[in-house]
Coordinates of all heavy atoms in Angstrom, one line a residue:
R1 N 0.8 -1.2 0.0 CA 0.1 0.0 0.0 C 0.9 1.3 0.0 O 1.8 1.4 0.8 CB -0.9 0.0 1.2 CG -1.8 1.3 1.4 CD -2.5 1.3 2.6 NE -3.6 0.3 2.6 CZ -4.4 0.1 3.7 NH1 -4.2 0.7 4.8 NH2 -5.4 -0.8 3.6
G2 N 0.6 2.2 -0.9 CA 1.3 3.4 -1.0 C 2.7 3.3 -1.6 O 3.3 4.3 -1.8
Q3 N 3.0 2.1 -2.0 CA 4.3 1.9 -2.6 C 4.2 1.5 -4.0 O 5.0 1.9 -5.0 CB 5.2 0.9 -1.8 CG 5.3 1.2 -0.3 CD 6.2 2.4 -0.1 OE1 7.2 2.7 -0.8 NE2 5.9 3.2 1.0
I4 N 3.4 0.5 -4.3 CA 3.2 -0.2 -5.6 C 1.7 -0.3 -5.8 O 1.0 -0.8 -4.9 CB 3.9 -1.5 -5.7 CG1 5.5 -1.3 -5.6 CG2 3.6 -2.2 -7.0 CD1 6.2 -2.6 -5.5
A5 N 1.2 0.1 -7.0 CA -0.2 -0.1 -7.3 C -0.4 -1.5 -7.8 O 0.0 -1.8 -9.0 CB -0.7 0.9 -8.4
V6 N -0.9 -2.4 -7.0 CA -1.1 -3.8 -7.3 C -2.1 -4.0 -8.5 O -3.2 -3.3 -8.5 CB -1.7 -4.5 -6.1 CG1 -2.0 -6.0 -6.5 CG2 -0.7 -4.4 -4.9
G7 N -1.6 -4.7 -9.5 CA -2.3 -5.0 -10.7 C -2.2 -3.9 -11.8 O -2.7 -4.0 -12.9
R8 N -1.4 -2.9 -11.5 CA -1.2 -1.9 -12.5 C 0.4 -1.6 -12.7 O 0.9 -1.8 -13.8 CB -1.7 -0.5 -12.0 CG -1.7 0.6 -13.2 CD -2.1 2.0 -12.6 NE -1.1 2.5 -11.7 CZ -1.3 3.5 -11.0 NH1 -2.4 4.2 -11.0 NH2 -0.3 4.0 -10.2
D9 N 1.1 -1.4 -11.6 CA 2.6 -1.2 -11.8 C 3.3 -2.5 -12.0 O 3.0 -3.5 -11.4 CB 3.1 -0.5 -10.5 CG 2.6 0.9 -10.2 OD1 2.0 1.5 -11.2 OD2 2.7 1.4 -9.1
G10 N 4.4 -2.4 -12.8 CA 5.3 -3.4 -12.9 C 6.2 -3.6 -11.7 O 6.7 -2.6 -11.1
Y11 N 6.5 -4.8 -11.2 CA 7.3 -4.9 -10.1 C 7.8 -6.4 -10.1 O 7.3 -7.3 -10.7 CB 6.6 -4.5 -8.8 CG 5.5 -5.4 -8.3 CD1 5.7 -6.3 -7.2 CD2 4.2 -5.4 -8.9 CE1 4.6 -7.2 -6.8 CE2 3.2 -6.2 -8.5 CZ 3.4 -7.1 -7.5 OH 2.4 -7.9 -7.1
A12 N 8.9 -6.6 -9.2 CA 9.5 -7.9 -9.1 C 9.5 -8.2 -7.6 O 9.5 -7.3 -6.7 CB 10.8 -7.9 -9.7
V13 N 9.5 -9.5 -7.3 CA 9.6 -9.9 -5.9 C 10.8 -11.0 -5.8 O 10.9 -11.8 -6.8 CB 8.3 -10.6 -5.4 CG1 8.5 -11.3 -4.0 CG2 7.2 -9.6 -5.4
V14 N 11.6 -10.8 -4.7 CA 12.7 -11.8 -4.6 C 12.7 -12.2 -3.1 O 12.1 -11.6 -2.2 CB 14.0 -11.1 -4.9 CG1 14.2 -10.9 -6.3 CG2 14.3 -9.9 -4.0
V15 N 13.4 -13.3 -2.8 CA 13.7 -13.8 -1.5 C 15.0 -13.2 -1.1 O 16.0 -13.2 -1.9 CB 13.7 -15.3 -1.4 CG1 14.1 -15.7 0.0 CG2 12.4 -15.9 -1.8
A16 N 15.2 -12.7 0.1 CA 16.5 -12.2 0.5 C 16.6 -12.3 2.1 O 15.6 -12.7 2.8 CB 16.6 -10.7 0.1
G17 N 17.8 -12.1 2.6 CA 18.0 -12.2 4.0 C 17.8 -13.6 4.5 O 18.2 -14.6 3.9
A18 N 17.2 -13.8 5.6 CA 16.9 -15.1 6.2 C 15.7 -15.8 5.6 O 15.4 -16.8 6.0 CB 16.8 -15.0 7.7
G19 N 15.0 -15.2 4.6 CA 13.9 -15.8 4.0 C 12.7 -15.1 3.9 O 11.6 -15.6 4.0
D20 N 12.8 -13.7 4.0 CA 11.6 -12.9 3.7 C 11.4 -12.5 2.2 O 12.3 -12.6 1.5 CB 11.6 -11.6 4.6 CG 11.2 -12.0 6.1 OD1 10.2 -12.6 6.2 OD2 11.9 -11.5 7.0
L21 N 10.2 -12.0 1.8 CA 9.9 -11.6 0.5 C 10.0 -10.1 0.4 O 9.5 -9.4 1.3 CB 8.5 -12.1 0.1 CG 8.3 -13.6 0.2 CD1 6.9 -13.9 -0.3 CD2 9.3 -14.4 -0.6
Y22 N 10.6 -9.6 -0.7 CA 10.8 -8.1 -0.9 C 10.4 -7.8 -2.3 O 10.7 -8.5 -3.2 CB 12.2 -7.7 -0.7 CG 12.7 -7.9 0.8 CD1 13.2 -9.1 1.2 CD2 12.6 -6.9 1.7 CE1 13.6 -9.3 2.5 CE2 13.1 -7.0 3.0 CZ 13.6 -8.3 3.4 OH 14.0 -8.4 4.7
A23 N 9.7 -6.7 -2.5 CA 9.3 -6.2 -3.8 C 10.1 -5.0 -4.2 O 10.5 -4.2 -3.3 CB 7.8 -5.9 -3.8
V24 N 10.2 -4.8 -5.5 CA 10.9 -3.6 -6.1 C 10.2 -3.2 -7.3 O 9.7 -4.0 -8.1 CB 12.4 -3.8 -6.3 CG1 12.6 -4.9 -7.4 CG2 13.1 -2.5 -6.7
R25 N 9.9 -1.9 -7.4 CA 9.2 -1.4 -8.6 C 10.1 -1.6 -9.9 O 11.3 -1.7 -9.8 CB 9.0 0.1 -8.4 CG 7.9 0.4 -7.4 CD 7.8 1.9 -7.2 NE 7.5 2.7 -8.4 CZ 6.3 2.9 -8.8 NH1 5.3 2.5 -8.2 NH2 6.1 3.6 -10.0
A26 N 9.4 -1.7 -11.0 CA 10.1 -1.8 -12.3 C 11.1 -0.7 -12.6 O 12.1 -0.9 -13.3 CB 9.1 -1.9 -13.4
Q27 N 10.9 0.5 -12.0 CA 11.9 1.6 -12.1 C 13.0 1.5 -11.1 O 13.9 2.3 -11.2 CB 11.1 2.9 -12.0 CG 10.1 3.2 -13.0 CD 8.8 2.4 -12.7 OE1 8.6 1.9 -11.7 NE2 7.9 2.5 -13.7
G28 N 13.0 0.5 -10.2 CA 14.0 0.4 -9.2 C 13.7 1.2 -8.0 O 12.6 1.8 -7.9
G29 N 14.7 1.3 -7.0 CA 14.5 2.1 -5.9 C 14.5 1.3 -4.6 O 14.9 0.1 -4.6
P30 N 14.0 1.8 -3.5 CA 14.0 1.0 -2.3 C 13.1 -0.2 -2.3 O 12.0 -0.1 -2.9 CB 13.5 2.0 -1.2 CG 13.6 3.4 -1.9 CD 13.5 3.2 -3.3
V31 N 13.5 -1.3 -1.7 CA 12.7 -2.5 -1.7 C 11.6 -2.3 -0.6 O 11.7 -1.5 0.3 CB 13.5 -3.7 -1.4 CG1 14.5 -3.9 -2.4 CG2 14.1 -3.7 0.0
V32 N 10.5 -3.0 -0.8 CA 9.4 -3.0 0.0 C 9.1 -4.3 0.6 O 9.0 -5.3 -0.1 CB 8.0 -2.6 -0.7 CG1 6.9 -2.5 0.2 CG2 8.2 -1.3 -1.4
P33 N 9.3 -4.5 2.0 CA 9.0 -5.9 2.6 C 7.6 -6.3 2.3 O 6.7 -5.6 2.5 CB 9.3 -5.6 4.1 CG 10.2 -4.4 4.1 CD 9.6 -3.5 3.0
I34 N 7.5 -7.6 2.0 CA 6.1 -8.2 1.9 C 5.9 -9.1 3.1 O 4.7 -9.1 3.6 CB 6.0 -9.0 0.6 CG1 6.1 -8.1 -0.6 CG2 4.7 -9.8 0.5 CD1 6.0 -8.8 -1.9
T35 N 6.8 -9.9 3.5 CA 6.6 -10.7 4.7 C 7.5 -10.3 5.8 O 8.6 -9.8 5.5 CB 6.8 -12.2 4.4 OG1 8.1 -12.3 3.9 CG2 5.8 -12.6 3.3
F36 N 7.2 -10.6 7.1 CA 8.0 -10.1 8.2 C 8.1 -11.3 9.2 O 8.3 -11.1 10.3 CB 7.3 -9.0 8.9 CG 7.0 -7.8 8.0 CD1 5.9 -7.7 7.2 CD2 7.9 -6.7 8.0 CE1 5.6 -6.6 6.4 CE2 7.7 -5.7 7.2 CZ 6.5 -5.6 6.3
S37 N 7.8 -12.6 8.7 CA 7.8 -13.7 9.7 C 9.2 -14.1 10.0 O 10.2 -13.8 9.5 CB 7.0 -14.8 9.1 OG 7.8 -15.5 8.0
R38 N 9.2 -15.0 11.1 CA 10.5 -15.6 11.5 C 10.6 -17.0 10.9 O 11.5 -17.7 11.3 CB 10.5 -15.7 13.1 CG 10.6 -14.4 13.7 CD 10.1 -14.3 15.1 NE 10.6 -15.4 15.9 CZ 10.0 -15.8 17.0 NH1 8.9 -15.2 17.5 NH2 10.4 -16.8 17.7
V39 N 9.7 -17.4 10.0 CA 9.8 -18.6 9.3 C 10.0 -18.4 7.8 O 9.5 -17.4 7.3 CB 8.4 -19.5 9.4 CG1 8.5 -20.8 8.7 CG2 8.1 -19.7 10.9
A40 N 11.0 -19.0 7.2 CA 11.4 -18.7 5.8 C 10.3 -18.8 4.9 O 9.5 -19.8 4.9 CB 12.6 -19.6 5.4
E41 N 10.2 -17.8 4.0 CA 9.3 -17.9 2.8 C 10.2 -18.2 1.5 O 11.2 -17.6 1.4 CB 8.5 -16.6 2.6 CG 7.3 -16.5 3.5 CD 7.6 -15.8 4.9 OE1 8.6 -15.1 4.9 OE2 7.0 -16.1 5.8

């Protein structure tokens, strides 16, 4: 919310760190955390 317009903006998601999901806009820039759990995604 407020970072990427879901269903409209292009973006990518990767796994990083200890196993959380992060999104980045197609134009690049700061990543947006999607998950915050202590169990790997």
